[in-house]
Amino acid sequence: MKRLEGKICLITGAGQGIGEATALKFAREGAVVIACDLKQEQVEAVAQACRAGGAQAEGHVMDVTNRAQIDAVVAQVIAAHGRIDVLCNNAGINRRGDLLSLSEEDWRLSFAVNLDSMFHLCRAALPGMIAAGGGAIVNTASQWGLHPAPGHIAYNVTKAAVASFTQNLARDYAQQKVRVNAVCPGEIHTPMLEAGVKRSGRTIADLDRLVPFGRIGRPDEVAALVAFLASDEAAFMCGSLVEITGAQAVA
């Protein structure tokens, strides 16, 4: 039996990076994958890749800053499948800057994407999970939410809030057997990281040298942790913030 056999799993930010790797991992574990992202072509490509491996998968366009779109997609999934067993709140952005250099627009957008989206998605999905007798929510926080890096105040603060949100939700709904946990990645080789490296003038090799393990992480390694937390193998994990960093301290 695959660990997520027949589970209805909704993943945001599934068009690339950790979200894409999570969708593909869930597909291999037997899940029904609901891939959500901003761009139609990306979610369709990911859904097709999942189907190519024999899984049932579908792609949905979702702007996570738009509550109406969130509610519509969740309602559509529940109407088609009857429930959502696993919710992976993975969509996120990283806007650089300290307090005096960051724009107010980037501050507000960071909260809208990184935190408010989780609030609205969980409010939409939780009642069905409770009615079904339980479920799993896995949020993507960050090592920087626990140990802030300089020059990224909006990202650090929103990811710290994701960590707190995760633990609060876990405490409130553990009795209803809804398990809520978060992964806290360090440097992971994603398109978001590549964009940041390009802006900074550093290279991936420069980042590799900062990691005691000898290299930065891969999206599929984070996806493996997400799949574990979503599965019954992690049945007693609730309210956990799991770092995956290769022993790297914040640079």
Side-chain angles (χ1 to χ4, degrees):
M1 177 75 73
K2 297 177 180 179
R3 290 186 297 177
L4 299 174
E5 191 74 52
K7 300 286 188 182
I8 313 301
C9 302
L10 190 154
I11 305 161
T12 67
Q16 62 181 12
I18 292 171
E20 178 183 11
T22 298
L24 295 172
K25 175 64 173 175
F26 277 27
R28 292 192 294 272
E29 293 285 354
V32 177
V33 175
I34 314 297
C36 301
D37 212 318
L38 196 56
K39 296 181 179 179
Q40 180 77 46
E41 61 271 21
Q42 287 185 325
V43 292
E44 284 299 334
V46 171
Q48 179 55 40
C50 292
R51 291 192 292 266
Q56 184 178 346
E58 55 196 56
H60 291 264
V61 173
M62 179 193 288
D63 178 352
V64 296
T65 68
N66 186 318
R67 181 180 176 181
Q69 288 189 23
I70 288 172
D71 290 344
V73 170
V74 170
Q76 185 177 346
V77 172
I78 292 175
H81 302 283
R83 66 193 190 281
I84 294 173
D85 299 302
V86 177
L87 171 62
C88 293
N89 288 306
N90 172 73
I93 60 171
N94 186 354
R95 295 293 186 263
R96 295 168 62 91
D98 58 22
L99 183 65
L100 298 181
S101 63
L102 184 79
S103 71
E104 184 174 342
E105 179 184 2
D106 280 344
W107 175 262
R108 296 191 183 282
L109 184 61
S110 295
F111 274 88
V113 175
N114 294 352
L115 183 64
D116 295 348
S117 65
M118 295 190 182
F119 173 84
H120 293 302
L121 276 153
C122 289
R123 279 172 68 96
L126 259 172
M129 287 186 176
I130 294 169
I137 298 173
V138 185
N139 298 324
T140 302
S142 171
Q143 181 193 29
W144 290 6
L146 307 179
H147 315 284
H152 293 79
I153 189 169
Y155 185 77
N156 297 343
V157 170
T158 55
K159 291 300 187 178
V162 169
S164 179
F165 178 83
T166 297
Q167 292 185 318
N168 276 271
L169 208 63
R171 298 280 170 83
D172 286 343
Y173 294 100
Q175 287 189 336
Q176 285 78 31
K177 300 299 184 288
V178 178
R179 298 186 303 102
V180 190
N181 297 288
V183 294
C184 302
E187 301 281 15
I188 306 297
H189 197 160
T190 64
M192 181 188 293
L193 178 134
E194 287 182 351
V197 167
K198 186 176 181 180
R199 286 192 301 267
S200 71
R202 292 195 292 181
T203 67
I204 297 298
D206 292 331
L207 297 184
D208 287 339
R209 285 190 284 272
L210 298 175
V211 184
F213 197 69
R215 61 167 176 82
I216 62 174
R218 302 191 310 266
D220 65 286
E221 292 170 324
V222 181
L225 176 57
V226 174
F228 167 71
L229 292 173
S231 76
D232 290 341
E233 288 187 344
F236 196 55
M237 293 191 72
C238 189
S240 298
L241 309 173
V242 187
E243 294 187 67
I244 176 167
T245 67
Q248 179 188 14
V250 172

